[in-house]
Amino acid sequence: MPAGTIVMGHPHRNPCLNVMIKGKMAVLIDDEVKVIEGPTTFVSPAGRKLAYIIEDVTIQNVFATDETDIDKLEELIVDKTRSWDNAELEAGTQLLLLSVGEDT
């Protein structure tokens, strides 16, 4: 993910292992901003995350499964039924940018 971008993912149904190979990002999780810098490995909670990419990031989400069908995997791993509304996205983006000292 390139530096300077805002990234929003689908909510994960369960916690997962993350391997950040390189980079730095600020992540909004449950109204709290955390700055994560690679290389590092960590577990992220279930739910949706919003991130501001401070330095180019290469990251892997790791899920334990024997499923190989992509559609079934997505159904098991992410919840695509809910999208953020514009006000929620704007508030989250402002909080992220303020926390890392970027202009909003």
Side-chain angles (χ1 to χ4, degrees), residues 3-98:
T5 59
I6 300 286
V7 179
M8 178 179 63
H10 290 295
H12 289 174
R13 295 184 187 277
N14 300 294
C16 72
L17 180 67
N18 297 270
V19 180
M20 182 185 280
I21 298 163
K22 71 171 191 163
K24 185 176 181 180
M25 65 182 176
V27 183
L28 179 61
I29 303 171
D30 298 327
D31 296 326
E32 182 183 349
V33 176
K34 296 180 181 182
V35 176
I36 304 169
E37 189 167 359
T40 190
T41 302
F42 58 97
V43 175
S44 63
R48 173 168 274 159
K49 288 83 174 177
L50 181 67
Y52 172 70
I53 309 304
I54 299 167
E55 297 173 3
D56 289 357
V57 167
T58 301
I59 192 168
Q60 297 173 321
N61 298 117
V62 181
F63 300 90
T65 182
D66 292 325
E67 184 59 65
T68 58
D69 181 279
I70 296 295
D71 292 330
K72 288 180 184 177
L73 277 169
E74 282 192 344
E75 212 172 286
L76 290 170
I77 293 170
V78 296
D79 178 2
K80 293 185 176 183
T81 62
R82 181 182 172 273
S83 62
W84 282 12
D85 64 35
N86 287 339
E88 189 178 16
L89 180 58
E90 179 65 27
T93 299
Q94 285 184 13
L95 181 59
L96 272 174
L97 294 177
L98 286 172

